[in-house]
Amino acid sequence: MPRDKQTPQKTLRHPADLADHGLVAPTDVAALERVAAQFAVAVTPAMAERIDPTDPDDPVGRQFLPDARELLVTEGELADPIGDEPFTPVKGITHRYHDRVLLKPVHACPVYCRFCFRREMVGPGSDALDAGELDGAIAYIQDNPQIWEVILTGGDPMILSPRRMGDLIARLNDIPHLGLVRIHSRVPVVDPDRINAEMVAALKGTRIPTWVMLHANHWRELGPDQVAAIGRLVDAGIPMLSQSVLLRGLNDDVDTLTRTFRALISARVKPHYLHHGDLAKGTGHFRTSVAAGRALMRQLRGDVSGLCQPTYVLDIPGGHGKVPLTQDYLSPQGEDGIWLVEDPRGSRHSYRG
Ligand SMILES: *Cc1c(COP(=O)(O)O)cnc(C)c1O
Ligand code: SF4
């Protein structure tokens, strides 16, 4: 049913507000309230503006508008799908890999993605770290000299004010063994106005670089405002990478992935990871098969610029880490040092090396 869409002035957080702005059908509101009671809802004006409400499969809408299918929990889905919990030495830190930690200063996000892998942990009701807890998390990093990189995530750390972001980046820059701060964020896409001069200045490290890893899944998320916000970061010397999630019916075809990765490269963002959908509760309608993901990556490898190739990865449930799922192009061919290499079209070639 076509609806009249109005661009909202502020973030929409309730199914009734979404209906008022023509983004969901009024007859669906009651059912969607049940979804919203379980998993937080937020659609920013910048994303509402990019949704075509006449298209029930709109790739931006499907990422942010609640869906009754989220109440279906399928076998194997988990509250902590990537197993962060056992690797939490102090509140706000996840230390799973030797040289890097996640630091989660906030648990809220400007939008709530319907497929979020941390959907049981994020939400407006979940607290940010208080000052003492943040001190404790920073002390843990100071006390562990093998940590080379701090990844700010959450939640979305770019919802911090520029002042608080600047303080945090400065404190991390003061830890001598750190070599890099990385920020995982969706803000340049979902709330591009936050990337103002103050935020850009806050992000720039004094001693070590800050890299920004943008979460984006579809070229339709990237309009002129988004490209401009990314440009402000990159122009300031902040390198950008992206991570995307492979989502059924949304970006699981070669044309969409090609267009999405090209749009990112054109905006000066290097596609880094394409995540296989995690086993978060109520996200079965978004997951593809691993075989489908591998076939897509193989086709991309042959047809599209090497810059547009992210690594297709799985975060192994239980906290065992991320590994590439991409096919192995090489197999041993009998004697030592002789290999069979497969080209992107599937022909095999012998190689000595
Ligand atoms: C994903 C993740 C990282 C970052 O891994 P990279 O492969 O370096 O991107 C670090 N720590 C944890 C716990 C993670 O889940
Ligand atoms: S921005 Fe990231 S953490 Fe926040 S809801 Fe989306 S996927 Fe989850």
Side-chain angles (χ1 to χ4, degrees):
M1 65 267 52
R3 299 179 287 265
D4 287 337
K5 186 182 133 179
Q6 291 167 15
T7 301
Q9 300 299 311
K10 55 184 182 72
T11 295
L12 305 174
R13 299 183 181 276
H14 303 286
D17 297 339
L18 297 172
D20 284 348
H21 288 85
L23 294 170
V24 301
T27 48
D28 288 342
V29 167
L32 297 179
E33 297 283 6
R34 287 196 289 281
V35 177
Q38 202 160 341
F39 303 113
V41 171
V43 184
T44 53
M47 286 294 98
E49 197 181 330
R50 301 202 63 75
I51 297 172
D52 172 2
T54 62
D55 177 1
D57 293 323
D58 181 272
V60 181
R62 280 199 61 208
Q63 293 186 58
F64 305 118
L65 301 175
D67 182 317
R69 286 174 288 183
E70 291 171 52
L71 296 174
L72 303 173
V73 176
T74 53
E75 203 188 322
E77 289 182 343
L78 304 163
D80 180 16
I82 66 171
D84 278 349
E85 225 301 301
F87 298 91
T88 305
V90 296
K91 192 169 173 193
I93 294 276
T94 307
H95 194 180
R96 189 200 287 161
Y97 301 108
H98 184 72
D99 79 336
R100 56 207 188 278
V101 292
L102 308 183
L103 168 55
K104 303 172 186 173
V106 291
H107 294 285
C109 298
V111 286
Y112 289 105
C113 311
R114 307 324 297 166
F115 45 84
C116 174
F117 65 123
R118 291 205 186 105
R119 60 192 332 216
E120 313 263 347
M121 279 72 102
V122 299
S126 331
D127 303 333
L129 295 187
D130 66 26
E133 290 163 344
L134 186 60
D135 290 348
I138 289 177
Y140 178 85
I141 298 166
Q142 282 164 336
D143 292 346
N144 284 274
Q146 80 278 23
I147 300 171
W148 173 79
E149 177 182 12
V150 172
I151 301 167
L152 300 181
T153 179
D156 194 319
M158 282 213 207
I159 65 168
L160 290 172
S161 66
R163 186 185 58 77
R164 288 181 63 202
M165 177 66 88
D167 286 351
L168 179 54
I169 301 269
R171 289 178 78 180
L172 296 173
N173 274 260
D174 283 344
I175 302 176
H177 55 264
L178 290 185
L180 179 63
V181 175
R182 184 193 332 177
I183 302 183
H184 284 187
S185 180
R186 219 158 171 13
V187 163
V189 164
V190 302
D191 197 359
D193 292 348
R194 286 191 88 89
I195 310 298
N196 56 18
E198 292 73 42
M199 182 60 96
V200 172
L203 293 172
K204 290 214 59 149
T206 49
R207 183 183 62 84
I208 53 175
T210 302
W211 286 49
V212 171
M213 173 90 81
L214 176 70
H215 171 188
N217 304 311
H218 196 284
W219 57 268
R220 288 260 305 267
E221 290 163 62
L222 300 166
D225 294 346
Q226 286 73 18
V227 170
I230 292 166
R232 292 193 285 279
L233 292 166
V234 179
D235 284 348
I238 296 173
M240 286 187 69
L241 303 168
S242 68
Q243 50 183 343
S244 307
V245 185
L246 186 61
L247 296 164
R248 178 146 57 97
L250 202 150
N251 63 9
D252 63 337
D253 64 276
V254 165
D255 288 345
T256 303
L257 289 179
T258 300
R259 206 162 161 185
T260 302
F261 298 141
R262 282 182 178 165
L264 287 162
I265 285 289
S266 298
R268 296 179 289 165
V269 179
K270 168 74 184 87
H272 180 58
Y273 278 154
L274 176 67
H275 292 270
H276 186 70
D278 290 311
L279 289 165
K281 283 188 185 165
T283 62
H285 55 295
F286 280 119
R287 264 192 309 281
T288 63
S289 68
V290 168
R294 284 164 56 105
L296 283 168
M297 288 312 295
R298 182 191 178 106
Q299 214 177 327
L300 271 188
R301 182 82 254 173
D303 293 344
V304 183
S305 164
L307 290 182
C308 297
Q309 312 284 332
T311 306
Y312 177 42
V313 291
L314 174 70
D315 217 318
I316 307 170
H320 303 291
K322 288 186 199 61
V323 286
L325 295 180
T326 324
Q327 78 164 60
D328 202 343
Y329 289 89
L330 195 67
S331 54
Q333 193 187 26
E335 35 173 322
D336 268 2
I338 309 286
W339 302 92
L340 208 53
V341 201
E342 197 170 322
D343 69 30
R345 265 148 218 91
S347 305
R348 298 195 166 143
H349 311 273
S350 191
Y351 181 81
R352 181 185 297 272

